[in-house]
Amino acid sequence: MKKVFVIMFSVALLSAMTACTSRSGNENSEQAPVSQTDEEKGSETEQITSGETELSPEDSGEETVSEESGSNQTEGSRILVAYFSRVGNMDYEEGVDAVTSASVNIEEDGIFGNAQLLAQMAQEITGGDLFFIETAEKYPAVYRETTDLAKEEQDNDARPELVSHVEDMDSYDTVILVFPIWWGTLPHPVFTFLEEYDFSGKTIWLLCTHEGSRMGRSESDIAELAPDAHLAEGLAVRGSDAGSSRADVEAWLSDLKISE
């Protein structure tokens, strides 16, 4: 009997030890490393996508665009607003009544040509650089004498000398060319201007004033003078409406990608 009691006591003791060991093992398995919280995962994700671990342009072989270059105008592009106007290219003497014509606006702070007004509008709208096409020899202040001289230049296919020059035409990819229609086409100083530079790959926007002939044959003449340029659809504004044509000019230039 004593022997049976010892055996039963030993079995009970062994069972108790086994159960204890089993509970201890379960507790250890529940202490696995704590997984990352959503906040910690988000922090790590931000580090990966923040650019700190991205390849540099040299490594990836791809160009990157700066966030600061997100304007409408392509980075590095420039716009030139070049204009020819009778005002500034004539021998004007104050008090000469004959100077008054459809191409000249006399205001309190001076006189302005219609083409000049349109050029200033285009410059303000686009933020481009304004350039005045200026001749060495001035035209007469009397309107009729100017038209006679302009006809003579056309008959002789003249190229009047210019005293103003664009310093770095290559830096411009868009040229807004503003001029009045003289005898059905460009004033001949504009012929000189177009032949002075290489317009290959540039886009030329034509903006002219007229008194009934609209663009005349100016588009075909420019196509011959700058054969490798792209000519955008032009806008013809009646001279007497030039001062009130800003809305029309803005609408016309709406397709031109410009910087803000």
Side-chain angles (χ1 to χ4, degrees):
M1 187 68 180
K2 190 173 189 178
K3 218 184 249 191
V4 172
F5 175 78
V6 171
I7 293 172
M8 291 178 64
F9 178 77
S10 298
V11 170
L13 181 60
L14 181 61
S15 297
M17 292 177 64
T18 301
C20 183
T21 302
S22 177
R23 285 196 299 270
S24 176
N26 288 340
E27 290 175 0
N28 289 337
S29 67
E30 290 174 0
Q31 296 300 319
V34 178
S35 61
Q36 289 175 298
T37 64
D38 290 340
E39 181 177 336
E40 290 170 333
K41 287 180 180 178
S43 176
E44 181 179 348
T45 303
E46 289 173 0
Q47 289 180 353
I48 292 175
T49 60
S50 66
E52 296 175 357
T53 61
E54 291 179 356
L55 292 175
S56 66
E58 293 78 12
D59 294 332
S60 65
E62 298 178 355
E63 296 181 356
T64 59
V65 179
S66 168
E67 293 180 359
E68 296 180 355
S69 64
S71 63
N72 290 333
Q73 185 177 346
T74 303
E75 184 177 8
S77 66
R78 293 177 63 192
I79 297 171
L80 178 70
V81 182
Y83 76 99
F84 175 86
S85 177
R86 183 172 165 233
V87 174
N89 278 313
M90 68 177 179
D91 288 322
Y92 169 69
E93 295 181 9
E94 189 173 354
V96 178
D97 294 335
V99 75
T100 304
S101 72
S103 66
V104 174
N105 295 273
I106 300 179
E107 300 180 8
E108 292 182 359
D109 52 349
I111 62 173
F112 300 89
N114 293 331
Q116 180 182 9
L117 293 176
L118 293 179
Q120 290 173 345
M121 292 177 192
Q123 189 278 327
E124 292 170 0
I125 294 167
T126 63
D129 295 334
L130 193 63
F131 176 78
F132 176 54
I133 301 172
E134 184 178 1
T135 59
E137 296 293 330
K138 301 303 180 183
Y139 289 89
V142 178
Y143 182 71
R144 176 57 63 181
E145 293 180 9
T146 294
T147 60
D148 290 343
L149 179 55
K151 186 64 169 65
E152 181 181 333
E153 290 175 344
Q154 186 175 110
D155 291 342
N156 296 327
D157 196 23
R159 296 295 186 271
E161 181 184 355
L162 303 181
V163 294
S164 60
H165 306 279
V166 180
E167 293 184 359
D168 188 12
M169 180 63 81
D170 290 342
S171 67
Y172 297 99
D173 56 11
T174 300
V175 177
I176 300 174
L177 188 60
V178 191
F179 54 90
I181 293 294
W182 282 6
W183 294 102
T185 189
L186 311 160
H188 272 253
V190 184
F191 280 68
T192 305
F193 172 81
L194 289 169
E195 289 181 342
E196 184 173 343
Y197 307 99
D198 181 8
F199 290 89
S200 300
K202 302 183 189 300
T203 299
I204 302 178
W205 294 63
L206 308 181
L207 177 56
C208 76
T209 63
H210 71 99
E211 292 303 327
S213 60
R214 299 191 64 78
M215 301 295 293
R217 62 178 183 277
S218 62
E219 292 172 299
S220 59
D221 283 343
I222 292 174
E224 292 183 6
L225 294 164
D228 296 319
H230 170 69
L231 297 186
E233 183 176 356
L235 176 65
V237 177
R238 187 173 288 274
S240 55
D241 296 332
S244 58
S245 296
R246 186 181 181 91
D248 293 332
V249 176
E250 286 181 340
W252 173 65
L253 290 172
S254 62
D255 291 334
L256 176 59
K257 301 304 180 183
I258 60 179
S259 60
E260 296 178 346

